Amino acid sequence: MLNQEDAADARRAADDDRDDSAGQVVVPGQRSPSAARLLEMTARDTDQWRSDARAEAVEIVAAAQAEADALVQSAQREAMTMVEAARLEASRTVDEARATADGVQAESEEQRTRGEAEVARLQQVAADHAQHLRRHLNDMLDRLDPAPDQAQLDSSDDSQPA
């Protein structure tokens, strides 16, 4: 872009004097071709600067787009890695939970089997004790009750006078 100093130099080169109070440029008639040439050069320079600025803007946008694409791809890869890690962790956790459940189930089955065996043993002990008590009570009753033959003899002795 032209700065004020460059514009002043261009005016001096064209003998441009701002004489009137409105600030209008007064260009002498014989100098018109040089002023026109200067304006053409300025227009060409301006067009070139605009073209250069547009090209630079296109490059900046393209670089920004490429960087954004790279960031998106990187983020997608990282997200996929995180998802896969989470899946593996979930699978491992499920496997551990299944193993724990299987262990608990096996232990419960073992305890149930031991409990059933203990119940069967206690039922056998109870049956043995009941049988032992019956024998013992029958023996005691037999001792307390005289034998039927002896009881009849004793009652016939009671019926005869002495």
Side-chain angles (χ1 to χ4, degrees), residues 57-67:
V58 166
E59 288 175 13
I60 290 171
V61 168
Q65 184 65 42
E67 186 176 347

Side-chain angles (χ1 to χ4, degrees), residues 83-117:
V83 165
E84 186 60 31
R87 282 185 182 143
L88 289 173
E89 180 67 20
S91 176
R92 189 177 57 77
T93 301
V94 166
D95 290 345
E96 287 175 2
R98 283 185 182 143
T100 301
D102 290 345
V104 168
Q105 185 178 8
E107 185 178 332
S108 296
E109 187 67 30
E110 185 179 316
Q111 287 178 352
R112 184 180 65 77
T113 303
R114 282 195 310 251
E116 288 173 352

Side-chain angles (χ1 to χ4, degrees), residues 71-151:
L71 285 173
V72 166
Q73 288 176 351
S74 174
Q76 286 174 339
R77 279 192 305 271
E78 187 173 339
M80 288 170 41
T81 301
M82 290 173 67
V83 165
E84 186 60 31
R87 282 185 182 143
L88 289 173
E89 180 67 20
S91 176
R92 189 177 57 77
T93 301
V94 166
D95 290 345
E96 287 175 2
R98 283 185 182 143
T100 301
D102 290 345
V104 168
Q105 185 178 8
E107 185 178 332
S108 296
E109 187 67 30
E110 185 179 316
Q111 287 178 352
R112 184 180 65 77
T113 303
R114 282 195 310 251
E116 288 173 352
E118 182 66 14
V119 166
R121 186 188 69 80
L122 290 174
Q123 287 173 340
Q124 184 61 45
V125 167
D128 291 347
H129 282 287
Q131 187 178 10
H132 178 72
L133 282 174
R134 261 189 227 107
R135 271 186 285 165
H136 178 69
L137 287 173
N138 284 333
D139 287 345
M140 293 307 253
L141 286 174
D142 286 345
R143 284 186 196 165
L144 290 175
D145 283 340
D149 295 333
Q150 179 89 25

